[in-house]
Structures are given as structure tokens and as C-alpha cells.
């Protein structure tokens, strides 16, 4: 190959590399084509931009992005990063039962979001009935939503390989994160804070509020370093039994791993688990002023390893047709603490056992033997 041909080949390779690494720009008042920071596009053009296979990054410039309806992201399928530069806020007029379908609907695969805030939007991100995979959310903030990240209850398409990291959602009507679907799988939630009551009044909360809700046939879900607080449901028109759980795993969901996770101040239970193959490792259930149960465990076998529990008002563990074992755990009790509330399901006996675990009363080791009679 002569020198001239070699130079042409190098130019073509370099030019191809450059064209495959295009960054585009969006601004609140943008009206340009978006291919330079001086000519940013309007947010309504985002699908046209991410359909361009040369575009691999969308920089959303600072400002308020007012919404009257949800924005569907369905352009293209190659990997694209959507990054908020500075303070980027999507805002709507959501008011706990109205306000339209605001937020972003994810209807394409291979996309990531970083450093974006949501204020008064019905959702932050929503998965409707579209096959989607390889989606990540990082450093997302939300205030006053219905549910920040929602996987629709009627999902029957595959939604898989979803990563949620450094989500901070405060004051929601239903849940911080609500996972559902028949083929929803492989979800990782890390370094996340979910706080139900900081801004919402009782009327602005659902009867069955929860920090994290997992339902349907969702499977292969991993939590690590998650904190969930203040889930107390509405009273009016909700029946006589006030609800509110930190983490709910309903029957049908399976293979859930909950690690290094703290839950407190849930009206009913910090952990309410009916799913199968659920493991609890180094969790903290701190209860609260009105919390009934630390753990409500249904119809399966459960282990809780290296767990810390501050006894709730009704009992530490309600076991319904379940076998439960706490290993290397610490349970802080009161004089009136009830350790176990044993229930039966179709004549299936429930048992609770403690291995290498300690019980503290006013910071001192306590003789727990009389209490353990409740656990057989």
C-alpha cells in the first residue's frame, strides 16, 4: 500500500470514528437543529435526534422543562446517554389524582439517564407495554409524584436489565418504585433513598402506599444500600385497617435479594413479603411510632442473615404459613415486645428460629426464652 492510499485510509477511519461520537443539545427554549451547543433543539425533537445512529449523547441544558403530557422516547435502538447539565427539571401540575400522564415513557432499549430532576410530574420514568432492555437511571431526583419509576401492571412484553442508582424520591402518592409485569426481570437498585411523607399530606397518599412494590411475575431483582422511610397510607375511605409498607413483594414475584437496606416508619410492616426465593441480608428494620410489624412473611421459607431489628408495636415477625430463620442477627426489644405472631395457612405450620442471634433490652442482653415460646 502506497503512502497516499494509507493516508486516505487513516482519514476515513478517523472520520468514521468522529461521526459515531456525536453529542447533541437540548434547551428549554431551543429552536435549532441541536447539533451544536449554540443551536440547541427543543425537547420535542429528542426522538429525531436519538434516531440518528451517529448520536451517542444528549446533553440537556439547564432549566425548567414544563410538561402537559408524557414524552415517549422511542427513537432508535443504539446506545444513547441522556445527561442533565447543571440543574435540569421536568415539571408538571400533578395533584395526587390529576395532572395528566407527565414524565418520560421508555419505549426503546439501550438508553441511560443521569442527573435529571422531576417536580410534580405523575411519573419520572414509566415502562408501558414495549419490549425494552439495557436501561439505566443514575442520580435522579423526584418531588411529589404518583410513582417515580413505574413498571405498568399489564406489562406482558420483556422488560429486562434495568439499573437504578442514586435515586432520591420524596413525597409520592403510590410508591417510590413500583415493579410489575409478566416478563420483567434483572433489575438492580442501589444507593437509593425513598421517602414517602416529607412533603405529602394524608389526602395526597394512596390507601396502600409503599416505598418499593414488586408484583406480577417479576424476577431477579437485587437491592443494595437502599433506605426507605415514612410509608403511611391515607385513612379516609380506606377501611378500618390503615396500610403502609416499606417493601412489598407480592406472590408471583421471585428471586429477590435485599441487602444492606434500611426501612423505618411504615404504618403496617417494614417488610411485607409473599414472593418466593427472597433473601434478606444485613437489613435494618427500625419500625416507628405506629409500625405494627417488622417482618410479615407469607407462604414460603425465609432467612434473615446479620439483620438488625428494632421491635415494632404488634410483633417482630408475623409468619403466615412460613418457616423463618434469623441468623447472626440483633433484635432490640421492649418489655412488652411480642417476638412472633404465628399464623397458619391451609394447615401449614409456621415456625420461627433464631441462630447465633442476640436480644437487647435497654442496651443489655436479655433472657429471651419466655418470649420464644411464641415462635413455635
Amino acid at each position: 500500500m502506497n503512502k497516499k492510499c494509507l493516508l486516505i485510509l487513516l482519514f476515513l477511519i478517523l472520520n468514521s470514528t468522529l461521526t459515531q461520537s456525536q453529542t447533541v443539545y437540548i434547551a428549554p427554549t431551543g429552536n435549532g437543529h441541536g447539533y451544536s451547543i449554540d443551536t440547541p433543539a427543543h425537547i420535542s425533537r429528542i426522538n429525531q435526534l436519538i434516531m440518528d445512529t451517529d448520536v451517542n449523547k444528549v446533553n440537556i441544558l439547564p432549566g425548567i422543562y414544563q410538561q402537559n403530557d408524557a414524552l415517549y422516547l422511542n427513537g432508535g435502538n443504539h446506545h444513547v446517554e441522556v445527561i442533565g447539565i447543571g440543574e435540569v427539571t421536568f415539571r408538571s401540575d400533578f395533584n395526587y389524582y390529576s395532572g395528566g400522564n407527565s414524565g418520560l415513557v421508555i419505549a426503546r432499549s439501550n438508553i441511560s439517564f443521569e442527573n435529571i430532576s422531576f417536580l410534580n410530574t405523575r411519573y419520572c420514568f414509566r415502562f408501558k407495554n414495549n419490549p425494552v432492555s439495557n436501561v439505566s437511571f443514575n442520580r435522579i431526583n423526584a418531588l411529589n409524584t404518583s410513582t417515580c419509576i413505574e413498571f405498568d401492571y399489564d406489562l406482558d412484553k420483556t422488560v429486562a436489565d434495568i439499573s437504578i442508582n442514586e435515586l432520591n424520591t420524596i413525597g409520592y402518592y403510590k410508591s417510590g418504585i413500583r415493579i410489575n409485569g409478566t416478563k420483567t426481570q434483572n433489575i438492580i437498585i442501589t444507593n437509593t433513598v425513598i421517602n414517602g411523607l416529607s412533603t405529602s399530606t394524608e389526602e395526597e397518599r394512596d390507601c396502600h402506599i409503599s416505598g418499593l412494590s414488586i408484583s406480577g411475575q417479576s424476577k431477579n431483582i437485587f437491592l443494595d444500600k437502599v433506605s426507605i422511610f415514612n410509608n403511611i397510607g391515607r385513612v379516609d375511605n380506606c377501611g378500618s385497617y390503615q396500610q403502609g409498607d416499606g417493601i412489598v413483594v407480592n406472590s408471583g414475584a421471585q428471586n429477590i435479594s435485599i441487602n444492606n437496606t434500611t426501612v423505618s416508619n411504615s404504618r403496617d410492616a417494614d417488610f411485607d413479603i409473599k414472593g418466593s426465593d427472597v433473601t434478606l441480608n444485613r437489613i435494618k428494620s427500625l419500625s416507628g411510632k405506629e409500625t405494627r410489624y417488622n417482618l410479615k412473611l407469607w407462604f414460603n421459607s425465609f432467612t434473615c442473615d446479620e439483620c438488625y431489628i428494632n421491635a415494632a408495636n404488634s410483633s417482630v415477625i408475623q409468619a403466615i404459613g412460613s418457616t423463618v430463620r434469623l441468623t447472626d442477627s440483633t433484635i432490640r426489644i421492649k418489655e412488652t415486645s411480642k417476638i412472633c405472631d404465628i399464623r397458619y395457612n391451609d394447615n401449614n405450620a409456621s415456625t420461627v428460629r433464631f441462630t447465633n442471634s442476640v436480644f437487647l433490652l435497654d442496651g443489655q442482653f436479655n433472657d429471651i426464652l419466655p418470649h420464644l415460646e411464641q415462635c413455635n
Side-chain angles (χ1 to χ4, degrees):
M1 181 181 294
N2 61 41
K3 186 174 181 181
K4 182 177 180 181
C5 291
L6 179 61
L7 289 173
I8 293 172
L9 178 61
L10 290 173
F11 172 79
L12 291 173
I13 293 172
L14 178 60
N15 186 63
S16 174
T17 302
L18 289 174
T19 57
Q20 291 175 11
S21 303
Q22 178 72 55
T23 297
V24 294
Y25 301 86
I26 287 173
T29 57
N31 60 3
H33 51 66
Y35 284 87
S36 74
I37 195 169
D38 298 322
T39 56
H42 189 265
I43 189 67
S44 61
R45 292 197 68 245
I46 189 170
N47 279 306
Q48 294 170 266
L49 294 171
I50 62 178
M51 285 183 67
D52 184 344
T53 56
D54 291 337
V55 170
N56 72 338
K57 183 182 292 186
V58 178
N59 282 345
I60 302 184
L61 299 178
I64 302 295
Y65 292 78
Q66 188 69 33
Q67 288 193 296
N68 297 317
D69 201 354
L71 175 61
Y72 280 68
L73 298 181
N74 55 15
N77 197 47
H78 64 291
H79 189 266
V80 175
E81 298 176 272
V82 180
I83 300 175
I85 305 301
E87 295 186 9
V88 171
T89 302
F90 285 82
R91 186 174 69 185
S92 186
D93 60 354
F94 172 71
N95 183 16
Y96 72 86
Y97 61 81
S98 64
N101 192 24
S102 50
L104 305 181
V105 176
I106 311 303
R108 58 103 78 195
S109 299
N110 305 313
I111 190 167
S112 64
F113 301 86
E114 182 176 345
N115 192 38
I116 300 174
S117 296
F118 295 84
L119 175 63
N120 299 334
T121 56
R122 193 173 186 87
Y123 306 98
C124 305
F125 301 96
R126 188 176 186 184
F127 294 91
K128 293 177 71 66
N129 211 12
N130 305 98
V132 172
S133 64
N134 190 27
V135 178
S136 64
F137 308 104
N138 190 45
R139 292 195 293 129
I140 303 299
N141 296 294
L143 183 63
N144 189 38
T145 60
S146 177
T147 298
C148 182
I149 299 182
E150 170 89 2
F151 297 72
D152 275 11
Y153 75 93
D154 58 351
L155 264 174
D156 62 8
K157 301 291 194 301
T158 298
V159 176
D161 303 319
I162 311 299
S163 172
I164 301 168
N165 182 57
E166 291 191 44
L167 170 68
N168 185 8
T169 178
I170 300 173
Y172 39 83
Y173 178 66
K174 285 187 177 294
S175 296
I177 302 172
R178 197 158 60 146
I179 300 171
N180 217 318
T182 60
K183 299 175 184 176
T184 302
Q185 57 192 326
N186 305 338
I187 300 172
I188 298 175
I189 305 171
T190 53
N191 305 304
T192 284
V193 177
I194 299 173
N195 188 343
L197 301 188
S198 290
T199 61
S200 56
T201 65
E202 184 176 289
E203 292 77 16
E204 294 169 326
R205 300 193 297 271
D206 189 55
C207 297
H208 297 273
I209 190 173
S210 58
L212 168 64
S213 174
I214 304 173
S215 299
Q217 281 76 56
S218 307
K219 64 182 179 180
N220 305 337
I221 299 172
F222 177 86
L223 276 69
D224 190 43
K225 298 178 183 176
V226 176
S227 297
I228 298 176
F229 311 109
N230 301 326
N231 286 280
I232 298 176
R234 194 176 72 235
V235 174
D236 292 345
N237 302 314
C238 292
S240 59
Y241 191 90
Q242 190 179 15
Q243 298 284 352
D245 298 303
I247 295 178
V248 176
V249 180
N250 285 313
S251 57
Q254 60 182 309
N255 195 22
I256 317 294
S257 180
I258 304 174
N259 307 277
N260 302 302
T261 290
T262 299
V263 181
S264 67
N265 200 34
S266 312
R267 181 61 182 96
D268 190 27
D270 281 347
F271 296 82
D272 189 339
I273 301 176
K274 301 180 180 72
S276 59
D277 298 317
V278 179
T279 59
L280 304 169
N281 300 290
R282 298 177 301 280
I283 66 161
K284 293 182 179 179
S285 172
L286 303 182
S287 67
K289 183 179 178 181
E290 299 181 66
T291 305
R292 296 186 184 95
Y293 304 99
N294 299 102
L295 308 175
K296 290 180 74 171
L297 305 174
W298 306 66
F299 315 140
N300 282 289
S301 296
F302 299 92
T303 59
C304 194
D305 295 324
E306 297 183 55
C307 299
Y308 178 88
I309 295 175
N310 183 41
N313 292 307
S314 292
S315 69
V316 172
I317 299 169
Q318 185 181 78
I320 306 99
S322 295
T323 59
V324 182
R325 182 178 295 277
L326 276 72
T327 303
D328 299 318
S329 296
T330 300
I331 300 92
R332 188 182 181 94
I333 62 173
K334 303 183 283 284
E335 289 282 1
T336 58
S337 291
K338 184 176 181 180
I339 305 301
C340 297
D341 177 4
I342 299 296
R343 307 289 179 96
Y344 296 88
N345 177 58
D346 296 333
N347 297 317
N348 292 327
S350 297
T351 60
V352 180
R353 297 289 182 265
F354 299 90
T355 304
N356 298 328
S357 296
V358 298
F359 294 83
L360 302 177
L361 176 65
D362 297 327
Q364 303 297 316
F365 292 109
N366 187 65
D367 180 10
I368 197 64
L369 290 178
H371 296 275
L372 294 185
E373 293 177 0
Q374 309 160 359
C375 299
N376 295 309

